[in-house]
Amino acid sequence: VQLQASGGGLVQAGGSLRLSCAASGRTFSNYVMGWHRQAPGKEREFVAAVSWSGGRLYYTDSVKGRFTISRDNAKNTVYLQMNSLKPEDTAVYYCAASDGRTWPVYEYAYWGQGTLVTVSS
């Protein structure tokens, strides 16, 4: 599956952005979809995941209550709505797909190219 992320940009602290990730190549609903991020000088970290049909969600603690992951299987797209953004959310955000069959998944085999989110203070 090929993944193309978009929607990053520069936003002030407290603002919002919505990231999108379009998938192509295989049956989208067969994959758990996730968002990860990598801040400058830091390791990549998990942000959020959504199950095959969208019924189950999982977030890292630092974004709970601020970020919402969702998917539209008819459009082969996963979204990350980010509200109340903080400077520490600044990172390159990557969407990823997992063909794992149990929830939650921990291994993602397919990755998009990343989109940069910069939050100014």
Side-chain angles (χ1 to χ4, degrees):
V1 61
Q2 292 79 47
L3 304 173
Q4 180 74 36
S6 61
L10 174 63
V11 63
Q12 288 188 332
S16 298
L17 279 176
R18 189 175 83 153
L19 305 183
S20 299
C21 176
S24 62
R26 296 193 180 180
T27 304
F28 183 64
S29 59
N30 285 349
Y31 298 91
V32 167
M33 298 300 298
W35 287 96
H36 298 68
R37 66 186 179 186
Q38 187 167 19
K42 295 187 177 181
E43 293 186 354
R44 189 167 60 193
E45 65 172 350
F46 168 82
V47 176
V50 57
S51 63
W52 306 266
S53 63
R56 286 181 280 187
L57 310 174
Y58 187 70
Y59 298 94
T60 193
D61 286 346
S62 63
V63 307
K64 285 180 181 177
R66 300 188 300 122
F67 291 11
T68 302
I69 188 171
S70 62
R71 68 189 295 162
D72 185 336
N73 286 346
K75 295 183 178 179
N76 291 352
T77 302
V78 60
Y79 305 97
L80 186 67
Q81 177 66 45
M82 305 185 294
N83 298 330
S84 302
L85 282 161
K86 304 175 181 179
E88 52 264 43
D89 294 318
T90 294
V92 177
Y93 283 72
Y94 299 89
C95 63
S98 172
D99 51 12
R101 305 319 301 169
T102 57
W103 179 264
V105 301
Y106 297 103
E107 298 292 331
Y108 290 81
Y110 308 96
W111 294 84
Q113 86 290 359
T115 185
L116 177 62
V117 172
T118 304
V119 184
S120 63
S121 57

